[in-house]
Amino acid sequence: MNSSATQKLNIQKVESSRIGQVDFSNLTFGSTFSDHMFECDYKDGTWQNPTIKPYGPLTISPAAKVFHYGQAVFEGMKAYKDDNGKVWLFRPQENFLRINKSSVRMAMPEFPRDIFFDALTTLVKMDKDWIKPGLGNSLYIRPFVMATQVGVGASPSTEYKFMILMSPAQAYYTGDVKVVIADHYSRSANGGVGAAKAAGNYGAQFFPTNLAREKGFQQVIWTDANNHEYLEEAGTMNVFFRVNDTLLTAPISDRILDGVTRKSVIALAKQDNIKVEERPVLVSEIVEAAKNGSLKEIFGAGTAAVISPVCAFSYKEDTFDLEKQDDGFAARFKKELLDIQYNRSEDPFDWRFEVV
Ligand code: COI
């Protein structure tokens, strides 16, 4: 890893906060940003000049490689305020490790751990008033890295910018989620970048997702690129299927994102003595389970929505409805996760990370 001794974090504070202009009861996910952001540049083979400064626009060359070759990766994490005003992160070490894993896959330099945690905790402390207490309220944190070298030669950039933005968020209520099982488009392929949180993975989903929306569905369940036989992810999330009382999900591979919510759900399920099978899940077995009544639930798991239950899915010409389960696995894991994240329960796995 490209690291050196801890570099001093430069801090430039806003003259006056914008917080008074924000309606915290009416937030659109990811569209309002807190007062400060973090920026650090990679040049001459080293990360330098880590700086927290007022949130605002960047000046960047139109020839920067990120615009031409999509060398960009990101993370999603959240800060939570408990009922006593303490601020917590959830498994931030996982996001740190994953952004570097994503960077390596995209031929980008790894970011030093000490600067990451110094910047993250300082930024969250500085803008902690932007985190409102109450279940569902959080500060969505978006670390990302982009290639900034000027030049359209198709080779890895020699310069990068690592940034962290923070956006106050309310409960990510998506309403009823109906999904289409993909039988043509795919999200990732063997040997591809599916396991990386590469920006282009998400941009590439927009077109097939729009097609699903035109048919009245909100999301796509992605299947393997070879034969569309295996179920892999749902929209921007990992996906779980409950067949009778067994939980099924695709195993981690170079096609599947190693989701923090995914691995937390698996740990909670095992703790609750629920049988979990991490194995290739056939479309045909889920269609058959829907037909014979053993398919009880499908839900997505990700940082933004936490757990997102699916109420119906379509496959080729058929649509299958799933009964709403107020006390099903999805509701249970969502409550268990939120209780840990908001410091309302014990933390047997040591997932909470106290910021202030
Ligand atoms: C997540 O929930 O994990 C995400 O990555 C969502 C983000 C693309 C908005």
Side-chain angles (χ1 to χ4, degrees):
M1 183 170 311
N2 187 288
S3 182
S4 49
T6 306
Q7 296 190 47
K8 193 172 166 1
L9 187 57
N10 305 305
I11 297 181
Q12 301 158 18
K13 289 193 175 162
V14 289
E15 281 176 13
S16 64
S17 172
R18 285 179 286 102
I19 198 166
Q21 300 161 21
V22 176
D23 177 2
F24 282 87
S25 60
N26 192 19
L27 296 166
T28 303
F29 179 81
S31 56
T32 301
F33 293 91
S34 72
D35 284 328
H36 299 93
M37 64 184 190
F38 171 71
E39 196 177 326
C40 186
D41 289 319
Y42 182 86
K43 269 187 197 143
D44 304 323
T46 182
W47 288 101
Q48 44 194 271
N49 200 22
T51 302
I52 288 179
K53 62 203 290 195
Y55 171 83
L58 304 173
T59 301
I60 185 163
S61 165
K65 294 207 181 200
V66 63
F67 300 129
H68 304 274
Y69 303 116
Q71 249 192 314
V73 299
F74 72 95
E75 269 305 317
M77 34 199 318
K78 282 178 177 170
Y80 312 86
K81 194 169 268 178
D82 72 18
D83 294 333
N84 297 315
K86 275 193 178 175
V87 175
W88 304 87
L89 295 168
F90 182 70
R91 310 187 73 177
Q93 170 77 1
E94 298 291 336
N95 301 93
F96 167 71
L97 294 172
R98 193 172 61 188
I99 200 165
N100 279 342
K101 197 173 153 203
S102 299
S103 290
V104 168
R105 178 60 185 83
M106 295 298 289
M108 299 161 71
E110 291 174 86
F111 197 70
R113 180 189 303 263
D114 49 5
I115 309 181
F116 178 86
F117 278 96
D118 192 17
L120 178 65
T121 53
T122 308
L123 197 56
V124 171
K125 279 182 203 165
M126 283 170 68
D127 285 353
K128 68 178 188 325
D129 291 348
W130 290 76
I131 317 170
K132 297 300 167 196
L135 223 52
N137 296 324
S138 66
L139 193 60
Y140 181 76
I141 303 173
R142 172 52 65 91
F144 64 105
V145 197
M146 61 179 155
T148 49
Q149 187 194 351
V150 174
V152 297
S155 58
S157 179
T158 54
E159 295 178 4
Y160 296 88
K161 196 179 277 296
F162 184 106
M163 300 193 70
I164 305 177
L165 309 179
M166 305 198 301
S167 174
Q170 289 173 286
Y172 195 101
Y173 177 67
T174 44
D176 280 348
V177 180
K178 293 163 71 180
V179 298
V180 175
I181 295 184
D183 61 1
H184 175 72
Y185 293 100
S186 55
R187 176 189 167 274
S188 67
N190 289 333
V193 295
K197 229 165 154 66
N201 278 348
Y202 295 78
Q205 296 188 15
F206 296 160
F207 178 71
T209 306
N210 279 347
L211 296 181
R213 277 174 208 256
E214 282 166 18
K215 292 186 181 161
F217 294 82
Q218 287 73 41
Q219 283 298 344
V220 176
I221 292 196
W222 305 106
T223 49
D224 69 284
N226 289 342
N227 298 313
H228 302 287
E229 272 180 310
Y230 294 100
L231 296 152
E232 306 219 307
E233 293 199 14
T236 60
M237 291 180 281
N238 296 110
V239 65
F240 287 86
F241 304 88
R242 174 184 170 191
V243 176
N244 289 322
D245 282 335
T246 300
L247 208 50
L248 309 177
T249 195
I252 292 308
S253 70
D254 56 5
R255 299 197 304 269
I256 309 280
L257 190 85
D258 187 7
V260 180
T261 312
R262 175 191 179 279
K263 66 174 77 168
S264 305
V265 165
I266 292 171
L268 289 171
K270 288 183 175 165
Q271 175 194 250
D272 295 352
N273 290 321
I274 290 170
K275 191 171 169 212
V276 184
E277 293 179 9
E278 291 178 70
R279 61 158 173 87
V281 183
L282 281 162
V283 177
S284 58
E285 70 179 292
I286 294 304
V287 169
E288 182 50 34
K291 285 182 180 164
N292 69 26
S294 58
L295 179 67
K296 305 296 183 198
E297 291 177 71
I298 301 179
F299 57 89
T303 298
V306 190
I307 300 288
S308 181
V310 167
C311 68
F313 73 91
S314 86
Y315 180 59
K316 298 195 190 281
E317 303 311 316
D318 296 320
T319 298
F320 301 89
D321 291 319
L322 288 161
E323 228 171 85
K324 197 168 179 328
Q325 306 259 354
D326 287 331
D327 55 355
F329 282 5
R332 168 185 186 154
F333 294 133
K334 183 163 188 173
K335 181 173 180 342
E336 288 183 10
L337 278 171
L338 291 176
D339 281 348
I340 294 176
Q341 290 167 339
Y342 287 82
N343 191 24
R344 291 181 174 201
S345 67
E346 293 299 307
D347 179 19
F349 301 101
D350 207 13
W351 286 337
R352 274 194 299 263
F353 178 99
E354 187 175 341
V355 180
V356 60

